[in-house]
Amino acid sequence: SDESVRCIGRNNYGQLGTGDFDGVQVIPAKVEGLPGAPARVATSEFHACAVLVTGAAYCWGLNSRGQLGTGEFALRTTPTAVRFSP
């Protein structure tokens, strides 16, 4: 109802989007820094992504192979904009 995304589970790679590496979260924790209302959310074991109602996409978590689509390989503990090719 507050248009936020909340995650639970392991957070060893920042995949919960809370801005830290908080071990295991058993109570839904709010993803920090998502700049709008989510339309869709997709998760995996080590990262997650959200598409906003505006169509912008944001991902966070493990990025060792560029899987976040941010144009680099840095791990992200908060949502980072996906870079789209023209």
Side-chain angles (χ1 to χ4, degrees):
S1 64
D2 65 1
E3 298 184 338
S4 67
V5 173
R6 296 180 183 270
C7 295
I8 60 172
R10 292 177 59 196
N11 195 33
N12 50 325
Y13 295 105
Q15 63 263 47
L16 298 185
T18 58
D20 58 22
F21 305 97
D22 198 16
V24 176
Q25 184 68 37
V26 296
I27 298 172
K30 184 176 180 181
V31 172
E32 296 296 332
L34 200 58
R40 303 238 191 269
V41 176
T43 64
S44 77
E45 186 175 0
F46 301 119
H47 66 281
C49 295
V51 177
L52 306 184
V53 294
T54 62
Y58 289 80
C59 295
W60 55 94
L62 184 64
N63 194 29
S64 58
R65 296 194 171 133
Q67 60 265 49
L68 300 184
T70 58
E72 38 76 53
F73 300 99
L75 179 144
R76 299 295 181 162
T77 61
T78 57
T80 303
V82 172
R83 297 175 58 176
F84 292 98
S85 298

